Amino acid sequence: MKALQYQTQRLSMRFFMLMLVLFIVQVALGLILALQENDPLFLQGVLNFNIVRADHLDLAIDWILCGFIGAIVFVAPLLSKRDFAHPWLIKFLFYALLVIVIANVCTQYLARFGIAGWWLGQPWFQQGREYLEEGRAVQVALLIGFGILSYIVLRIFPPRREWNEIHWGLVLGVLGLTGVWVFAMFFVARLDLSEYFRWYVVHYWVEGIWEIIHISLVGYLIVLMFHAKIKSVGYAVFWGVAMVWLSGMIGNAHHYFWIGTPAFWQFWGSLFSAFEPLPLVFCFWHIYLDAHQNRKPLENTPAFYFLLGSVLLEQVGAGILGFSMTFARTNVWSHGTWITAGHAHLALFGTFGLLGIAVAYYAVPLMRGIKGFDERLGQLAFWLVLVGVLGMAFAFDMGGTVEVFNYRTLGLDWFGGRIDPAMGGYRVALLVFGCVLLIGAGLTVYDLLTMGYRRPSAGLARERPDGHAAAAIGARPAVGWGRYLSGFEVGLWLLVLWFFGGIITVSLLAFNLAIVRSGHPTLPYTLAAIGYAGLFVATLLFISRFLTSMQARKRAVAADESRDDMDLLGEPAA
Amino acid sequence: MSCAPGKPCEEGKKRRIALLAFGLMALVFFVLSAFSFVDSRVQVTPEVVTYGPYNAVQGKRVFQAYNCMDCHTIVGNGAYFAPDLTKEYQQVGPAWLAAFLGSPGSWPTQTVVAIHLHDPAQLKTTDIDTMQAYLKQFPGAAQRIRQQGGHGTYMPNLTFSGPDIGKLIAFLKYTSDMNTEGWPPKPETNGAALLADRSAHAATAVHAPAGAPPAAAASAQPASDPAVLGAKLVQEDGCTACHATDQSTKVGPGWGGLYNSQVKLTDGSTVTANDAYLARSILDPNAQIPTGFQPNIMPANFGSVLSKQQVDAIVAYIKTLKGNK
Amino acid sequence: MRHRAIDLVLTAVTTVAALLLSWPFWAHFEYWADSRALWIVYVIIGAILAGYVFYAFLGALHTLFEHDALDHAEAREAAKGGADTENRS
């Protein structure tokens, strides 16, 4: 096991711990929302749905940011080969973040009384825009926080001529985090213009800037975990980021179909967001290739589990589900329904959330100096989280399909209470899988919080005296589900996923057919059931296949465990 | 490492082309953005949309302050927990919205909507002063009154103030006027009729066709005891939204112990609240206004809604209500 | 050369498919920026830029695999020579 190289890397620990606490609170709030979806009177008047949801969304953003900051603080010294100059600034950033998050969560309650805190024409306490519910005061504080983070990163990084693509990615990431955030900070009276700028934040900031940070961090984690060559990874990071922005710059137009902006956006948005999955496909191949550079066993399975989950759920949630609903002729149906929620849960939590947990699993054992922790709890937690979130997405997507038919095609009045019962079964499914996710999240948080403090189980101690002793089982050739995962097979798996994605797209396109519009839902319902069920089952199987083959390396490769630390920086790009 | 050995290295050139393409895309994006908000686009703006003394800018502030978007959706963005509000105004109109937002915990009945029909802002905005014309203009209101009127809603009772209600109506009028490029798509089939049709065909159908107006259903029943019928009618016609069944005052006078009591009128005289007085107060409410109440609040057209027998039933019901006990 | 031909064909097919999926058959041409003349401009510029994005994607993916093959070859060589595979320069 590697040791920690720089003492100031330890400063990241507090951010990971805060992330975990916020994560579990956020999932618990999600469960309240699921209960209210089933019984709208649950907690009504005490904690109305909109307040719980505002906190649910804002905490999601807060804890993912926390994970990002933790990850950046952890890798920046490695990338710079030196310690932070001003540790106190990072500590200050942490306490400031803590205060900001608490203020953000508490002020949402004022929406119950319609108090926005208007002053100078701006809402200072809370502003009631989806994803941007926090008031101006919190936003200004966050802007200052992002500025401090940018300073910290630029201060520690080596001179610019020594930067490789990962340095560039992180610098662009933190500067973008600060710069694009400004678009969140104005009250705009026109609804079309106000929504136009809101998507600058939700699309460019979350999907664009976060994605730069995501790609850079994933790339560097691959370097750390698999000792991949920094030059190859740097190449992948550059083109991953380039593809995100080449497709996403105009791709943002898929948010401008129906908000009161002209019809030409429907063409531009459809055309370019059709290519938005390309960077995700690209990044997936880069993960696959680099993870298979050699056949060394995994050193930290939960970290890789969550990392793979992040990259694959990004492919499925952001890539495939996003693709299916991005065309004007499919989006006209899916827009404003649960189908959007299915996509959002996989894309946001799946991509960014799982990455934060992956980095925590990588960093926490190193910082606590734990050798050979019990990885089974983390693995179990991963599967519960994965099944939970995929099941929730299935409930959202199928419930959303039913909603589209009842609400948009039949034009049934929501107020007549007819749409609710039609979606009823999926509301229950949402609750059930939400509970699975909550248990998984609870296990993850428990495992990471207490890692190194709780007593290792007796079985583990006996079985793995050297902390890495699955190899002691002996060299057995990996066969069946655990056999070597070839690139060809990976290609087939991706094709299967995209095949189901195609079916989902057709299920939404089918709503345009005259027969469906005259009141016959058989075709879209059938296609949606096959598409969503197939996609999510194939996702589970693919992840299981990938991980089993990685695990099997422990048996396939016998000894050769004693690799020493190495210089993880590599050299700058040519 | 971007160049294979022995080949000319083109990576730098490729990266410059990518940057150039990105710049071109940004240019396209910002030019299109400029086209989106110029005046010649003829998109409605909130400053010019008013309801009474309020405009839609004020309405947007109220809309944000109550965080409506985290239950409802607006132009399709929001929480999918409650219906989309973009085209709500053109479905139900200002009077229904005013009636609903006044107490969002319950669905307005026709009578409650009728009260708001005479609001000067409403009259000025829609130029409609009869319920019949209103319901024809706003079929969504007619449908909701018929199906839901008098029942409880799932919306929390947010106790909006009078000005807030006016501002919200102005905002919803604005979003309703917006050109959203055909979204939400218009249904090509009458789903409610389709469902009713299907359930009628099904042998085990237990759903009553949700079309019959409650008042008609009630009056069809044998009125063995007029007071029982009256108790039903006051619920269904929304009387109890304004009149308490004890001596307290909601909007109009409470009914408890009213029968045969002495009522002071605004013209200084005193009358006994007998059968004739009560019946006349229902049919011609502005004729004798008790002290402490305003004329022209209760709609004056109940004669067109209620039969003589139904008026008598309501009076009989009021007779049974005693004072505070 | 063969690579490039395949890439160009794939790019053409994908671009046409993307154009078909986003073809504006619902357009109403009411607003001047939505006029027929401008729509033609939009479609042409859009097709070129979209084609570029896909072509660049294919090129980058090729290079990714080339790097991998090179890395593998290097590792094999190093293993043969008994050298430490991690001793990268």
Side-chain angles (χ1 to χ4, degrees):
Chain A
M1 212 65 177
K2 284 183 281 291
L4 204 61
Q5 282 178 292
Y6 300 96
Q7 283 309 305
T8 46
Q9 283 183 282
R10 288 186 194 285
L11 290 167
S12 63
M13 179 70 98
R14 63 195 75 212
F15 289 99
F16 290 128
M17 295 301 121
L18 178 60
M19 171 187 89
L20 293 170
V21 172
L22 298 182
F23 170 45
I24 197 72
V25 173
Q26 191 242 346
V27 178
L29 288 174
L31 200 71
I32 295 180
L33 294 176
L35 283 165
Q36 290 181 330
E37 286 280 2
N38 283 279
D39 174 15
L41 298 179
F42 176 68
L43 287 182
Q44 193 184 80
V46 184
L47 271 178
N48 290 337
F49 184 93
N50 60 344
I51 290 159
V52 182
R53 186 181 191 255
D55 282 336
H56 180 68
L57 292 187
D58 288 358
L59 275 178
I61 292 172
D62 290 338
W63 78 256
I64 289 170
L65 280 175
C66 231
F68 277 170
I69 298 176
I72 290 172
V73 169
F74 185 79
V75 301
L78 292 175
L79 281 165
S80 317
K81 291 182 178 167
R82 61 174 163 185
D83 276 309
F84 286 105
H86 309 297
W88 64 269
L89 202 55
I90 296 173
K91 287 181 192 161
F92 170 76
L93 192 64
F94 172 78
Y95 290 111
L97 190 64
L98 192 63
V99 171
I100 289 171
V101 169
I102 292 171
N104 182 0
V105 169
C106 295
T107 49
Q108 290 311 314
Y109 191 69
L110 294 173
R112 166 72 184 81
F113 311 102
I115 298 168
W118 295 102
W119 180 54
L120 301 173
Q122 303 293 323
W124 289 86
F125 297 154
Q126 57 94 17
Q127 62 170 340
R129 296 163 79 199
E130 191 199 14
Y131 289 111
L132 300 176
E133 288 88 352
E134 67 282 342
R136 202 66 76 229
V138 164
Q139 290 188 317
V140 170
L142 272 176
L143 185 74
I144 296 170
F146 295 143
I148 294 176
L149 181 66
S150 306
Y151 172 77
I152 290 171
V153 169
L154 286 170
R155 177 73 180 75
I156 187 176
F157 268 12
R160 208 174 61 212
R161 61 178 183 283
E162 290 175 30
W163 289 3
N164 59 37
E165 286 89 344
I166 295 172
H167 293 96
W168 275 106
L170 288 178
V171 166
L172 281 180
V174 291
L175 289 181
L177 217 50
T178 319
V180 182
W181 182 245
V182 172
F183 293 107
M185 299 177 57
F186 296 96
F187 173 80
V188 181
R190 282 181 70 157
L191 182 64
D192 46 358
L193 199 59
S194 153
E195 288 293 288
Y196 172 86
F197 281 119
R198 195 170 66 83
W199 289 111
Y200 267 49
V201 181
V202 182
H203 185 92
Y204 288 143
W205 195 69
V206 173
E207 297 173 38
I209 301 291
W210 284 21
E211 193 54 42
I212 295 181
I213 300 178
H214 181 257
I215 290 177
S216 309
L217 285 177
V218 168
Y220 197 58
L221 274 185
I222 289 288
V223 173
L224 291 176
M225 284 179 172
F226 297 101
H227 317 293
K229 286 198 171 187
I230 201 122
K231 272 188 167 181
S232 311
V233 171
Y235 178 85
V237 167
F238 175 86
W239 282 101
V241 169
M243 297 306 302
V244 165
W245 279 89
L246 284 174
S247 57
M249 181 69 216
I250 299 183
N252 185 19
H254 62 218
H255 297 296
Y256 299 157
F257 292 166
W258 324 114
I259 62 166
T261 37
F264 53 66
W265 288 113
Q266 295 176 14
F267 166 73
W268 289 100
S270 304
L271 184 64
F272 277 89
S273 44
F275 292 107
E276 280 193 73
L278 293 184
L280 313 180
V281 175
F282 180 79
C283 287
F284 182 78
W285 277 112
H286 130 69
I287 305 299
Y288 164 77
L289 290 175
D290 287 327
H292 287 76
Q293 257 305 317
N294 56 44
R295 301 193 186 187
K296 306 267 179 192
L298 286 173
E299 288 174 1
N300 180 336
T301 49
F304 184 74
Y305 274 36
F306 280 99
L307 185 71
L308 182 73
S310 163
V311 177
L312 210 66
L313 285 192
E314 179 177 39
Q315 178 79 210
V316 171
I320 295 176
L321 293 184
F323 176 88
S324 71
M325 51 192 266
T326 204
F327 302 100
R329 285 297 100 185
T330 55
N331 190 266
V332 70
W333 302 107
S334 66
H335 184 57
T337 68
W338 268 26
I339 293 180
T340 314
H343 156 73
H345 276 80
L346 285 187
L348 196 76
F349 171 67
T351 306
F352 302 115
L354 292 188
L355 175 75
I357 300 172
V359 184
Y361 260 113
Y362 181 83
V364 169
L366 279 180
M367 286 189 281
R368 291 204 181 130
I370 305 164
K371 287 188 188 285
F373 64 97
D374 188 349
E375 298 179 355
R376 291 170 300 182
L377 199 56
Q379 294 173 356
L380 176 67
F382 170 77
W383 284 110
L384 286 173
V385 165
L386 189 72
V387 169
V389 76
L390 282 175
M392 280 173 63
F394 181 73
F396 272 129
D397 285 323
M398 285 307 294
T401 308
V402 173
E403 185 184 358
V404 169
F405 181 72
N406 283 275
Y407 196 31
R408 305 253 186 266
T409 305
L410 293 186
L412 292 183
D413 205 2
W414 191 294
F415 302 100
R418 282 210 182 87
I419 293 166
D420 235 38
M423 295 164 67
Y426 296 110
R427 289 177 195 274
V428 176
L430 184 69
L431 188 59
V432 170
F433 286 107
C435 289
V436 176
L437 176 63
L438 183 66
I439 295 169
L443 269 184
T444 311
V445 172
Y446 168 78
D447 190 28
L448 279 167
L449 286 181
T450 62
M451 184 181 287
Y453 297 126
R454 60 176 196 266
R455 276 176 38 185
S457 68
L460 180 78
R462 191 173 59 246
E463 193 186 308
R464 317 181 62 183
D466 62 352
H468 244 295
I473 298 168
R476 249 190 294 151
V479 290
W481 199 241
R483 71 188 180 280
Y484 181 76
L485 183 66
S486 70
F488 179 73
E489 191 188 338
V490 170
L492 284 183
W493 278 107
L494 283 185
L495 276 182
V496 168
L497 295 182
W498 277 94
F499 168 75
F500 286 118
I503 292 184
I504 294 168
T505 311
V506 176
S507 84
L508 280 169
L509 276 175
F511 279 106
N512 293 300
L513 295 176
I515 173 103
V516 180
R517 298 203 73 177
S518 69
H520 299 279
T522 316
L523 187 63
Y525 279 10
T526 312
L527 289 173
I530 296 172
Y532 290 117
L535 177 65
F536 296 144
V537 169
T539 305
L540 276 176
L541 289 177
F542 183 29
I543 293 182
S544 155
R545 172 76 181 90
F546 200 121
L547 293 176
T548 313
S549 86
M550 297 296 276
Q551 293 272 77
R553 292 171 171 193
K554 283 185 174 168
R555 293 192 290 273
V557 182
D560 192 351
E561 292 267 79
S562 54
R563 294 152 60 99
D564 278 326
D565 287 350
M566 44 181 263
D567 177 10
L568 294 166
L569 176 63
E571 62 255 83
Chain B
M1 192 185 63
S2 42
C3 316
K7 285 188 193 169
C9 188
E10 293 183 327
E11 183 61 16
K13 193 175 130 207
K14 281 184 185 166
R15 290 188 179 190
R16 279 192 294 277
I17 294 176
L19 210 61
L20 191 75
F22 175 71
L24 200 59
M25 286 171 177
L27 184 72
V28 168
F29 184 87
F30 290 121
V31 168
L32 292 177
S33 301
F35 288 176
S36 303
F37 302 104
V38 290
D39 287 344
S40 60
R41 152 80 174 142
V42 204
Q43 177 64 284
V44 64
T45 55
E47 299 83 21
V48 298
V49 181
T50 58
Y51 182 74
Y54 311 110
N55 70 18
V57 178
Q58 295 170 302
K60 187 160 183 285
R61 286 168 193 263
V62 177
F63 191 82
Q64 285 188 211
Y66 282 95
N67 196 356
C68 306
M69 205 176 173
D70 265 323
C71 285
H72 293 275
T73 54
I74 188 85
V75 291
N77 297 323
Y80 333 110
F81 182 59
D84 189 76
L85 297 177
T86 316
K87 303 292 174 187
E88 200 54 21
Y89 176 91
Q90 72 188 31
Q91 284 295 312
V92 296
W96 189 90
L97 283 172
F100 178 80
L101 292 170
S103 86
S106 69
W107 294 104
T109 58
Q110 179 157 334
T111 321
V112 186
V113 177
I115 288 169
H116 294 277
L117 207 57
H118 298 285
D119 183 307
Q122 199 287 134
L123 289 172
K124 189 161 169 273
T125 310
T126 62
D127 208 21
I128 292 174
D129 59 353
T130 69
M131 203 60 202
Q132 217 176 356
Y134 185 86
L135 295 182
K136 201 170 163 225
Q137 172 79 28
F138 301 108
Q143 191 190 356
R144 283 180 209 169
I145 288 169
R146 202 169 59 230
Q147 287 179 359
Q148 306 286 104
H151 296 289
T153 75
Y154 283 139
M155 179 161 164
N157 205 339
L158 290 174
T159 55
F160 298 112
S161 71
D164 280 357
I165 293 173
K167 292 171 187 172
L168 282 174
I169 294 174
F171 178 67
L172 293 177
K173 183 164 180 279
Y174 158 65
T175 63
S176 205
D177 286 348
M178 269 173 72
N179 173 3
T180 51
E181 296 297 337
W183 191 90
K186 287 202 174 44
E188 288 181 356
T189 178
N190 183 346
L194 196 80
L195 284 195
D197 211 34
R198 281 183 192 164
S199 62
H201 281 296
T204 53
V206 285
H207 308 288
S219 55
Q221 287 171 7
S224 53
D225 183 356
V228 174
L229 174 63
K232 214 172 206 170
L233 283 170
V234 296
Q235 295 290 333
E236 289 162 353
D237 283 356
C239 308
T240 46
C242 295
H243 295 280
T245 51
D246 55 21
Q247 283 177 336
S248 64
T249 300
K250 279 179 167 176
V251 176
W255 289 337
L258 177 64
Y259 186 69
N260 268 345
S261 66
Q262 297 296 307
V263 177
K264 267 186 151 176
L265 299 181
T266 43
D267 62 7
S269 62
T270 303
V271 293
T272 305
N274 55 17
D275 289 43
Y277 167 80
L278 289 176
R280 192 175 179 199
S281 297
I282 295 170
L283 296 171
D284 186 9
N286 293 329
Q288 294 170 308
I289 298 291
T291 49
F293 296 94
Q294 301 293 318
N296 297 322
I297 291 199
M298 179 164 161
N301 55 349
F302 270 109
S304 61
V305 183
L306 301 171
S307 67
K308 168 89 175 58
Q309 182 207 10
Q310 287 173 325
V311 174
D312 289 346
I314 293 173
V315 172
Y317 169 66
I318 294 174
K319 272 190 206 172
T320 65
L321 299 169
K322 301 289 178 267
N324 287 340
K325 281 194 177 160
Chain C
M1 209 56 226
R2 205 166 134 253
H3 253 325
R4 180 170 291 185
I6 295 175
D7 281 8
L8 284 174
V9 170
L10 273 178
T11 302
V13 169
T14 321
T15 309
V16 169
L19 276 177
L20 284 181
L21 268 170
S22 44
W23 191 258
F25 58 82
W26 58 85
H28 48 61
F29 313 110
E30 280 164 8
Y31 171 44
W32 65 265
D34 267 330
S35 63
R36 281 175 197 278
L38 275 175
W39 268 103
I40 294 171
V41 175
Y42 295 156
V43 170
I44 292 172
I45 297 181
I48 293 170
L49 286 176
Y52 164 73
V53 172
F54 196 77
Y55 189 73
F57 163 74
L58 287 180
L61 205 57
H62 279 313
T63 314
L64 198 68
F65 278 87
E66 272 170 31
H67 284 178
D68 188 61
L70 282 175
D71 288 352
H72 269 296
E74 240 173 65
R76 257 197 307 276
E77 205 116 304
K80 229 182 271 171
D84 182 2
T85 53
E86 287 151 36
N87 193 9
R88 298 171 293 127
S89 59

